[in-house]
Amino acid sequence: ARSAATGTMPRASRANALLAAWAALHFCVGVVEGQNGEMEQFTRKPRAFNKDLKYVSCAVCKRAVEEVWNIAEHMREVAPYHKVGEDEFNELTLNICDPDTDEGEWVSMQDIEQAKKGASIKLKQEEYMGECRRECRTIEKACTAVFDEYREDLAELLWKNEPKTLEKMASR
């Protein structure tokens, strides 16, 4: 309801219009925030199968040490004078269990298999990387549990280049 003489809105109507605009904006922001919160549940990392950890830990440890060994050999080949610093080996052992890093991509290429109910659980190497869901997070958690305890020792052994073979390294 504009005033015919001045062409402006009365003060009460202007306040109501501003209040309505503010309410509409607040509602829209609330809807967007709600949508983001709903999306968060789909982007959250899957949880590990905790009951399987004790059954896969040994195989995961052996596989992780094999990966560390292969990456360490490659690091020595491409490093100047074939010398790699202890910090680089520390970083390698820190990232080896994380499937979201280059060093840990091996984790997303593993599959946990069980032939039948009651049979032993085994790791199987897949040809291609898969989506990192619960099995992958189980392998990551088992790997991290072992490597958290021996990370510094392993990095030091790699830096010293003490075990000359993978078999000797894996048996430690």
Side-chain angles (χ1 to χ4, degrees), residues 99-144:
D100 300 325
T101 64
D102 290 339
E103 296 89 352
E105 71 180 12
W106 68 273
V107 175
S108 60
M109 295 179 71
Q110 303 299 309
D111 193 18
I112 298 176
E113 289 189 337
Q114 186 176 23
K116 61 182 180 178
K117 189 172 183 173
S120 63
I121 296 175
K122 297 181 181 182
L123 284 184
K124 179 184 174 197
Q125 174 78 25
E126 295 293 331
E127 191 174 338
Y128 302 103
M129 285 193 325
E131 185 178 351
C132 194
R133 303 299 302 158
R134 291 191 76 182
E135 288 181 347
C136 177
R137 296 301 171 190
T138 302
I139 294 168
E140 175 187 18
K141 191 169 182 177
C143 180
T144 301

Side-chain angles (χ1 to χ4, degrees), residues 130-164:
E131 185 178 351
C132 194
R133 303 299 302 158
R134 291 191 76 182
E135 288 181 347
C136 177
R137 296 301 171 190
T138 302
I139 294 168
E140 175 187 18
K141 191 169 182 177
C143 180
T144 301
V146 172
F147 269 71
D148 279 351
E149 189 172 342
Y150 299 106
R151 177 171 288 118
E152 292 174 3
D153 296 335
L154 183 59
E156 184 179 348
L157 289 172
L158 289 168
W159 179 66
K160 289 180 178 179
N161 201 12
E162 264 185 25
K164 299 296 181 189

